[in-house]
Amino acid sequence: MSEIKYNTYKEAMEAVEEHGWNLQFVRKDLQDYDMCMKAVEEHGWNLQFVRKDLQDYDMCMLAVKDNGYNLKFVRKDLQIEEMCLLVIESNGSYLQYVRKDLKTFDLCLIAIQENKNAVEYIPLKYKNEIELILELS
C-alpha cells in the first residue's frame, strides 16, 4: 500500500502536476476529476491510482491508447467493444482483462491471431472452433 504524503488539495494537485504518479500518494477523498486526468494524461499507467468513481470513458480511453495493458485498471462497466478491440489489436494477451460479455468470437479470433498465447483467455464456447481455424491457417 502506498504511503499517503499529501493531506491538502493544494499540495496534492501541485505534486500531481509535477509527476502524475504522485497520485498514488494522494488521499482518495482529495482526488478530483481534473487531478486524475492530469495524472493519466502524463502516463496511462496512473489510471490504477484513480478512484473508480472518477473514471470515465475519455480518461480510460486515454489510458488504453497509451498502453493496452492499462485495460486492467479500467472499471468493467466502462469497457466497450471499441476500447477492447483497440487493446487486443495491440496485444492479444490483453484479452485476459476484457469483460466476459465482451469476449465475442471475433474479438477472440483477433486476439489469437495477434498472439497465439491468448488461447488461454478464450472462453470455452469458442476454443474448439478457434483452435480448428488455427490448425487450418
Side-chain angles (χ1 to χ4, degrees):
M1 185 80 185
S2 302
E3 181 183 329
I4 301 300
K5 292 185 178 182
Y6 308 108
N7 289 308
T8 69
Y9 180 82
K10 186 175 186 277
E11 284 179 334
M13 184 58 106
E14 288 172 357
V16 169
E17 286 175 340
E18 184 177 332
H19 295 290
W21 52 265
N22 281 328
L23 186 64
Q24 68 185 305
F25 304 115
V26 175
R27 287 189 352 232
K28 295 294 185 189
D29 64 314
L30 293 178
Q31 287 186 11
D32 70 4
Y33 182 83
D34 291 334
M35 180 187 298
C36 294
M37 188 57 117
K38 284 184 190 313
V40 173
E41 284 172 344
E42 181 181 301
H43 197 290
W45 176 259
N46 292 323
L47 185 66
Q48 68 183 308
F49 307 121
V50 174
R51 262 185 18 219
K52 295 293 186 191
D53 65 310
L54 294 176
Q55 288 186 9
D56 72 357
Y57 172 80
D58 292 331
M59 183 185 294
C60 293
M61 206 50 177
L62 188 64
V64 299
K65 283 181 178 177
D66 181 50
N67 187 320
Y69 178 79
N70 295 326
L71 185 66
K72 177 179 182 174
F73 309 118
V74 172
R75 245 180 36 213
K76 296 296 184 197
D77 65 310
L78 292 175
Q79 287 186 12
I80 63 166
E81 191 174 332
E82 171 193 11
M83 183 184 294
C84 295
L85 179 60
L86 178 74
V87 167
I88 296 309
E89 287 175 336
S90 72
N91 187 329
S93 69
Y94 295 153
L95 185 64
Q96 65 187 300
Y97 305 122
V98 173
R99 205 174 70 205
K100 288 179 184 178
D101 64 310
L102 293 176
K103 288 185 182 181
T104 63
F105 178 82
D106 291 336
L107 190 68
C108 291
L109 187 57
I110 292 167
I112 202 73
Q113 289 170 335
E114 197 292 316
N115 183 336
K116 302 266 187 268
N117 294 327
V119 72
E120 66 184 285
Y121 308 114
I122 293 175
L124 285 175
K125 62 183 174 183
Y126 303 137
K127 258 194 177 155
N128 290 338
E129 193 173 349
I130 287 179
E131 286 174 347
L132 180 61
I133 290 171
L134 287 176
E135 288 175 23
L136 297 174
S137 59

